[in-house]
Amino acid sequence: MKTIRILLVILSLGFISCERIEQAQPEYAHLEDWQYWSIETDWVLGDQVLFFINEYRLQQGLPNLIKDPNLPSALAAQHSNYMISQGFISHDGFSDRAKLLNNNGAVAVGENVAFGYEDAYEVVTAWINSPSHRDTLEGNYTHAGLGIRKDVFGTNYFTLILIRK
């Protein structure tokens, strides 16, 4: 009888543990379906990112970027989903995003990506400290789209798409 009770307790704990693991898998249960995940962006963080980018651009004598929550942001969020599904950051598919944006009025397109940063100041500072990312921030662009998404562990993935209309 005592052995049966111990076995039941162990089995109960096992089920509780599995249930918690399943709860930690929100929309990312099927990584191959990343293109169907939500493309909502964390705009609280996104607006802060844009604020720090514009603050930097102002210091460089460049005009502010205008937030574009439409196609550039949708494409940026979808790319952040893709990076989450792959488990690393990349510019995979950039030429397709640029072509789609060009077909919809953009005359120039640039992109920065990042992951793991907790706040807007950190990610913008990292881009400023990287020569190639800084060049993109200083480019002749007028609008910015942002895709900021979290993976199941709470890690932020950032895609910034800059365009000139």
Side-chain angles (χ1 to χ4, degrees), residues 108-130:
V109 181
E111 176 178 272
N112 280 348
V113 297
F115 84 105
Y117 295 95
E118 299 265 335
D119 69 44
Y121 183 78
E122 290 177 349
V123 71
V124 174
T125 299
W127 284 333
I128 291 168
N129 289 332
S130 165

Side-chain angles (χ1 to χ4, degrees), residues 3-161:
T3 307
I4 292 174
R5 283 187 188 172
I6 292 172
L7 184 57
L8 287 174
V9 168
I10 292 171
L11 285 173
S12 296
L13 291 174
F15 287 121
I16 292 170
S17 296
C18 291
E19 189 173 355
R20 287 184 185 154
I21 291 170
E22 289 175 1
Q23 289 175 352
Q25 303 294 326
E27 60 188 297
Y28 307 116
H30 302 287
L31 294 178
E32 67 276 0
D33 294 334
W34 61 268
Q35 65 270 23
Y36 301 113
W37 297 350
S38 170
I39 55 171
E40 291 298 313
T41 286
D42 176 350
W43 278 113
V44 171
L45 184 55
D47 287 340
Q48 293 169 356
V49 168
L50 191 55
F51 170 82
F52 288 118
I53 290 171
N54 281 333
E55 186 176 77
Y56 173 75
R57 286 176 60 92
L58 182 64
Q59 293 170 1
Q60 306 309 307
L62 299 168
N64 280 346
L65 297 170
I66 300 165
K67 175 171 108 175
D68 190 332
N70 298 309
L71 183 59
S73 293
L75 292 173
Q78 187 180 48
H79 183 62
S80 291
N81 285 340
Y82 168 78
M83 292 188 300
I84 290 168
S85 77
Q86 300 301 302
F88 57 85
I89 60 173
S90 73
H91 293 283
D92 293 353
F94 174 70
S95 61
D96 293 331
R97 288 187 292 284
K99 183 177 180 180
L100 183 56
L101 290 162
N102 289 144
N103 289 340
N104 284 278
V107 294
V109 181
E111 176 178 272
N112 280 348
V113 297
F115 84 105
Y117 295 95
E118 299 265 335
D119 69 44
Y121 183 78
E122 290 177 349
V123 71
V124 174
T125 299
W127 284 333
I128 291 168
N129 289 332
S130 165
S132 62
H133 293 94
R134 182 176 54 243
D135 288 347
T136 302
L137 293 179
E138 294 176 359
N140 185 14
Y141 301 109
T142 58
H143 293 77
L146 282 155
I148 303 171
R149 305 283 294 145
K150 287 187 184 297
D151 69 10
V152 294
F153 303 109
T155 303
N156 288 317
Y157 282 71
F158 299 83
T159 302
L160 168 69
I161 294 180

